[in-house]
Amino acid sequence: MPKLKELKPNLRLANGDQLKGYISFALAFVSVLLLLSIVKLYSVSYDYNFHRAIEVERVVGLHENVQETSKELIRQGALVGFKDYDEKYDIKKCIYCIEDHICSPFPDPPPPVLCDPIKCRDCFRDYDAEAWSHDRAIKYFGKVKSPYNFDPDFSVDMGDPDIKVILDANGPYQRNGYRVNSIIFKTDFPIKIHSDKFNISSTSKIGEGVILESSGNN
């Protein structure tokens, strides 16, 4: 019996140590779970911000691409339009046009009658050359006006640019003495980009007064 009495305190001590161990283990386990949940939440937030930054960067790059492509197509179209007109019409035929006051008066004795409305149709006129060049520039620009030409995830909304073609006659250019000098944007040209997929909308513009050199150095 004495031995049994001596053993009872020892048994109680052992049970207390086990309880403390269980509590410590539970606290440690909960702490690990909490830490893992915090790390997971931070990871999700970081992942979202990272992807959002990539989406924004895509929009910025898309604006640059749209602007540069639009300007280059306008420039190419203006040059092609002028070239077609320059090859079709001849400034020497303007001598047959009475509205240019070339047909009369002539010195005495007068030369053979030159006024000829049929031949006059082939007269090269600078304002008509500008109009052909302008119209072809707009036609070429139309190649990019499909909303999803650049990126299937983004729609690009643009109108027609308000431009003016400027000719140069200060040298022996082409067959009729003219060439395209530059194209100028007469007003701001806005570009709108939107994506339902990424919930992003953005605008940029080619500003009023921007000049496109005929050589492409702009």
Side-chain angles (χ1 to χ4, degrees), residues 42-217:
Y42 174 78
S43 177
V44 170
S45 176
Y46 175 81
D47 186 61
Y48 174 79
N49 291 333
F50 178 73
H51 284 290
R52 195 62 173 173
I54 292 177
E55 292 157 11
V56 171
E57 186 175 352
R58 284 179 65 183
V59 173
V60 172
L62 187 56
H63 273 294
E64 293 176 353
N65 190 14
V66 172
Q67 289 193 24
E68 293 307 312
T69 301
S70 298
K71 290 191 288 187
E72 180 58 20
L73 286 174
I74 289 170
R75 187 186 72 84
Q76 290 181 11
L79 294 176
V80 170
F82 175 81
K83 183 174 181 292
D84 288 348
Y85 185 88
D86 191 54
E87 292 177 348
K88 182 177 177 61
Y89 295 91
D90 188 347
I91 201 167
K92 296 176 182 177
K93 296 291 182 67
C94 295
I95 62 173
Y96 299 106
C97 302
I98 191 170
E99 60 266 34
D100 290 311
H101 307 289
I102 295 175
C103 298
S104 63
F106 286 102
D108 188 38
V113 175
L114 294 178
C115 293
D116 185 332
I118 303 299
K119 293 180 179 180
C120 177
R121 293 174 185 171
D122 295 328
C123 169
F124 177 98
R125 303 181 188 279
D126 56 352
Y127 51 84
D128 285 337
E130 288 179 1
W132 274 51
S133 183
H134 173 277
D135 292 347
R136 189 64 63 87
I138 299 300
K139 184 176 180 179
Y140 266 49
F141 165 77
K143 296 178 181 180
V144 302
K145 288 194 67 176
S146 174
Y148 298 97
N149 264 352
F150 290 92
D151 191 316
D153 291 333
F154 297 87
S155 66
V156 180
D157 182 25
M158 300 179 287
D160 285 334
D162 184 12
I163 59 172
K164 178 176 176 56
V165 176
I166 300 173
L167 300 185
D168 182 8
N170 294 324
Y173 307 121
Q174 311 295 332
R175 65 192 295 258
N176 289 301
Y178 287 83
R179 70 177 180 96
V180 173
N181 177 276
S182 56
I183 305 99
I184 185 169
F185 283 80
K186 295 167 63 178
T187 58
D188 287 346
F189 177 57
I191 299 168
K192 301 177 182 179
I193 295 177
H194 175 76
S195 173
D196 289 328
K197 179 178 179 179
F198 301 122
N199 192 27
I200 290 178
S201 294
S202 178
T203 60
S204 66
K205 68 179 181 179
I206 300 175
E208 176 184 356
V210 168
I211 297 174
L212 311 180
E213 301 291 345
S214 60
S215 62
N217 298 322

